[in-house]
Amino acid sequence: MTIRLYDTSARQIRDFTPLTPGCVSIYLCGATVQAAPHIGHIRSGLNFDIMRRWFTYRGYDVTFVRNVTDIDDKIITKAQEQGRPWWSIGYENERAFNEGYTALGCLPPTYEPRATGHITEMVEMMQRLIDRGHAYAADGNVYFDVRSFPRYLELSRQELDNLLQPSGEGETGKRDPRDFAMWKAAKPGEPTWPTPWGEGRPGWHLECSAMAHKYLGTAFDIHGGGLDLIFPHHENEIAQAKAYGDDFAQYWVHNAWVTMAGDKMSKSLGNSVLVSEMVKRWRPIVLRYYLGTPHYRSMIEYSQESLREAESAFARIEGFVQRVTELAGKTVEPAAEVPPAFAEAMDDDLGVPQALAVVHTTVRQGNSALAADDKDAAVARLAEVRAMLAVLGLDPLDEQWAGESDKGEDLHGVVDSLVRLVLDQRESARARKDWATADAIRDQLNQSGLVIEDSSQGPRWTLGSR
């Protein structure tokens, strides 16, 4: 068994070899909390949640760090626009992110450090970089000298002479316009912290280099994040950490975006689909299916139609789980191992689409067993399906999703009673061989969004696609 991952730095899929046998260390760039999360933000968390679950299934002890950027230019701008303290903006949106992660079934990280809690580590890192000739102070700012680090831009594979380094307001005193700010001098009305070079606040890139070092040491296995972070963020993280003396990340794994009309979903474009609103319209487990089952390196083009397709696909899985559970008369525990084809797909760069195909094939086999009244085979297939769904965080019988079935339970009971009256009429028509009336009743129920299935235990109904 060898897990293989696409390493952005190598531009190829590589066999995964952990630094410490039996252990995996992962650092994921988490939320910048200037606004509430849209589904594009949460996709990254979902992708790496599935990675973490798969490593755990394969027997690894996983340390998963996901940071919170609670101070940066955007947060300060939002605070000024809204006339609120910067920390109030950050904390409110940090909670919104965590609620979103939890709603969609992401396991909590091992550590979730905030940038503002690690100023001491940042100052220590800057001082060492200055002492080593990789950084310099100017006008209260501290900059990284990119020409002092020959391997700069190896991740993004750009040419230094063609580089346009993003710069912020007040970044004066640079020796080279391509140098980037690690520390920003104090400005009126902004939060500040004391340093040997004057009052100011951290730059975005410094935060992650310092926190990764704090929690994962001089070297760790995997650094993750969205494609948009390759440059400048991850490139600058590498420069700081390696110039400091760390080996840093051994593998770089990047997830693709959720797009709308071909554009990356972002707050700045105004095309965000907030998680808090989406969970009101769609079951969270369906959203997880929608966001988590495409390959992590493929783009997702958002549309209501694709969400409805995801809802229908998951309903087929969930319906099978419910039918066999009812037939067994008890909860069927997950199998000890997933099917070999599922494991092979997941080992190959987290091939979730191929793994999901194994899930649906097993569901079809289970349904065939149900049709043949082969209870033992149906139960065996359910055990396999539950094992696979657990890896994907999609097992509808898991306690994570227990609240979903509780929501609207009273309403479900009322609807069930009403539908049963209509089904009784249909059964009476079938008994007297009035097939036209029976079919008309079923068609009418289907048009209302209900799917009617005839089984050996009698007719049953489920919600169909919207």
Side-chain angles (χ1 to χ4, degrees):
M1 174 275 296
T2 301
I3 294 175
R4 306 176 72 229
L5 295 172
Y6 183 86
D7 180 7
T8 304
S9 61
R11 296 297 193 276
Q12 64 181 359
I13 294 177
R14 297 172 53 203
D15 288 351
F16 176 76
T17 304
L19 289 167
T20 303
C23 299
V24 180
S25 47
I26 304 172
Y27 184 94
L28 173 63
C29 283
T32 299
V33 289
Q34 84 269 21
H38 55 64
I39 58 174
H41 294 126
I42 299 299
R43 182 192 183 185
S44 179
L46 276 174
N47 289 152
F48 286 91
D49 182 66
I50 291 172
M51 173 191 283
R52 175 192 186 175
R53 288 170 183 263
W54 183 242
F55 274 120
T56 300
Y57 172 83
R58 279 304 197 191
Y60 288 94
D61 181 10
V62 181
T63 300
F64 181 62
V65 180
R66 185 182 67 211
N67 77 292
V68 176
T69 298
D70 60 342
I71 183 67
D72 87 330
D73 294 346
K74 295 175 182 177
I75 295 171
I76 292 170
T77 299
K78 287 285 185 182
Q80 293 170 345
E81 290 173 353
Q82 298 180 22
R84 296 171 57 191
W86 62 272
W87 47 263
S88 174
I89 297 283
Y91 182 62
E92 175 183 281
N93 292 311
E94 179 184 341
R95 290 183 63 182
F97 267 89
N98 283 330
E99 288 167 1
Y101 290 132
T102 300
L104 270 63
C106 294
L107 300 172
T110 312
Y111 307 109
E112 191 169 27
R114 294 189 185 101
T116 55
H118 298 80
I119 301 298
T120 298
E121 290 84 357
M122 296 178 205
V123 171
E124 290 174 354
M125 181 169 278
M126 286 188 289
Q127 184 63 68
R128 186 170 183 178
L129 289 170
I130 289 173
D131 293 343
R132 289 187 162 199
H134 291 292
Y136 58 93
D139 300 339
N141 302 294
V142 179
Y143 298 108
F144 187 91
D145 181 354
V146 297
R147 290 191 177 276
S148 73
F149 185 66
R151 296 174 61 189
Y152 188 57
L153 301 180
E154 282 189 357
L155 181 67
S156 58
R157 301 193 179 186
Q158 300 182 76
E159 294 293 333
L160 184 60
D161 290 339
N162 299 328
L163 181 67
L164 293 176
Q165 179 75 46
S167 293
E169 182 183 352
E171 294 185 10
T172 61
K174 283 187 179 183
R175 296 174 184 171
D176 187 310
R178 288 160 292 199
D179 294 345
F180 62 86
M182 295 190 293
W183 191 261
K184 301 187 177 187
K187 301 181 186 67
E190 292 190 357
T192 63
W193 288 263
T195 74
W197 314 284
E199 293 277 337
R201 60 183 175 85
W204 178 28
H205 318 303
L206 178 66
E207 297 173 350
C208 283
S209 295
M211 287 187 284
H213 177 87
K214 169 77 172 182
Y215 292 92
L216 297 176
T218 59
F220 57 95
D221 293 308
I222 299 169
H223 196 310
L227 283 173
D228 52 323
L229 300 183
I230 294 175
F231 181 84
H233 187 48
H234 289 166
E235 197 73 76
N236 292 351
E237 277 189 67
I238 292 170
Q240 292 164 152
K242 294 199 170 185
Y244 179 78
D246 288 354
D247 287 333
F248 211 51
Q250 307 304 295
Y251 298 80
W252 287 86
V253 179
H254 293 92
N255 64 277
W257 304 328
V258 178
T259 61
M260 291 182 71
D263 289 323
K264 171 182 172 260
M265 189 173 287
S266 69
K267 303 182 188 84
S268 60
L269 289 176
N271 60 4
S272 303
V273 182
L274 296 181
V275 176
S276 58
E277 293 302 314
M278 293 293 286
V279 296
K280 296 176 184 176
R281 303 197 302 270
W282 301 89
R283 293 172 59 202
I285 197 169
V286 169
L287 286 175
R288 182 179 177 98
Y289 185 98
Y290 171 67
L291 293 170
T293 54
H295 195 275
Y296 74 91
R297 289 194 286 120
S298 65
M299 297 292 182
I300 299 175
E301 175 67 15
Y302 171 79
S303 71
Q304 292 285 316
E305 180 182 357
S306 57
L307 257 168
R308 284 192 289 269
E309 291 172 357
E311 183 181 49
S312 296
F314 183 73
R316 290 193 291 274
I317 298 172
E318 190 173 35
F320 167 71
V321 172
Q322 292 171 345
R323 285 191 293 274
V324 180
T325 300
E326 290 175 6
L327 177 64
K330 62 178 182 179
T331 300
V332 176
E333 294 301 320
E337 295 183 359
V338 299
F342 181 94
E344 182 180 352
M346 292 298 291
D347 281 341
D348 187 12
D349 195 30
L350 303 177
V352 174
Q354 294 76 20
L356 191 65
V358 179
V359 175
H360 282 286
T361 296
T362 308
V363 166
R364 287 193 293 272
Q365 293 170 348
N367 282 328
S368 296
L370 283 174
D373 288 329
D374 188 344
K375 178 180 175 180
D376 290 342
V379 168
R381 298 294 81 74
L382 175 56
E384 293 172 346
V385 167
R386 287 203 66 195
M388 292 185 282
L389 293 179
V391 168
L392 302 176
L394 288 169
D395 182 359
L397 300 182
D398 188 272
E399 62 181 13
Q400 158 68 32
W401 307 111
E404 277 210 349
S405 60
D406 293 340
K407 292 175 184 175
E409 187 174 325
D410 293 340
L411 180 59
H412 184 281
V414 172
V415 174
D416 184 63
S417 296
L418 294 173
V419 174
R420 289 293 163 194
L421 289 174
V422 180
L423 290 178
D424 286 345
Q425 295 176 14
R426 178 172 175 264
E427 287 303 293
S428 296
R430 285 162 60 91
R432 61 178 184 269
K433 298 185 179 182
D434 184 356
W435 309 118
T437 299
D439 290 345
I441 292 173
R442 184 189 59 196
D443 292 343
Q444 205 166 14
L445 289 171
N446 286 342
Q447 290 173 12
S448 301
L450 299 175
V451 176
I452 307 305
E453 300 172 79
D454 294 311
S455 69
S456 57
Q457 287 78 41
R460 55 178 289 129
W461 67 272
T462 56
L463 287 174
S465 62
R466 303 178 188 203

